[in-house]
Amino acid sequence: MHRFFLSFTLFTLTVFIGFLWYAYVFLNPAQWIAMSAENQLIEDGTALAFGIAAGLAFYVFVKRKTKIWMYFSSLMVLAAAREMDLHKEWTSDSILKSNFYLKEGASLGERIAGFLVILILLFLAYQMIRRVPEWVAAVWKFQSTAWAIGMGLGSLFVAKCLDSMMHWFPFLADFKINNGPFLGLMEESLEMVGAVFFISVAWMAIRRVR
């Protein structure tokens, strides 16, 4: 495993844990809510991180002419757009929700545009999923890029679990209610951690093409 990845992981996790410790000890719930609110520091930083990952991945694509990096870059662009709430900026509701296509409020043009975005997302997801066996093999070989992807996906998965805790784990509903502000801060912070790990994926590829 590459020394850069080990150092990067240690630094990222230290900052993440240190930030949550500082927030828990020195800040109050109102500040937790403010920091994790939409269009605030953490969410904007996460969108920026996804954008940086997209730009670096596109640079790798230009150098290598390998389609996977175009797919990766495109996914990062969509992730940044999702973080900036562009999926509902110009439509009556989120294009990622099934109700958007089923209810009467959305115009035909909005539905078509949303459906095209969904098709692009599904295509990109398919291109990634078909490479899962190759990724798993790379993880078992302790390849840094594969582990960085795993750390990024893992961070986003845990963040999603925190966000959907009441739906996925109803028995934790009271815990979610009682600790909602801090769990919200953890969720937004984990999304940023995931985006930062995707930056490292592209950066390690750039180091190899130089």
Side-chain angles (χ1 to χ4, degrees), residues 15-28:
V15 172
F16 168 67
I17 295 171
F19 168 73
L20 290 180
W21 174 82
Y22 177 85
Y24 188 81
V25 174
F26 296 104
L27 304 182
N28 57 59

Side-chain angles (χ1 to χ4, degrees), residues 14-80:
T14 300
V15 172
F16 168 67
I17 295 171
F19 168 73
L20 290 180
W21 174 82
Y22 177 85
Y24 188 81
V25 174
F26 296 104
L27 304 182
N28 57 59
Q31 291 172 305
W32 300 341
I33 294 173
M35 293 176 66
S36 56
E38 292 187 356
N39 300 317
Q40 295 302 316
L41 179 64
I42 298 178
E43 188 175 83
D44 289 347
T46 302
L48 177 61
F50 277 125
I52 293 172
L56 293 176
F58 184 76
Y59 175 81
V60 178
F61 167 73
V62 171
K63 290 290 187 179
R64 288 189 175 183
K65 302 295 187 297
T66 308
K67 290 182 179 179
I68 186 62
W69 287 104
M70 173 56 76
Y71 300 149
F72 182 80
S73 178
S74 299
L75 277 174
M76 294 298 101
V77 169
L78 291 176

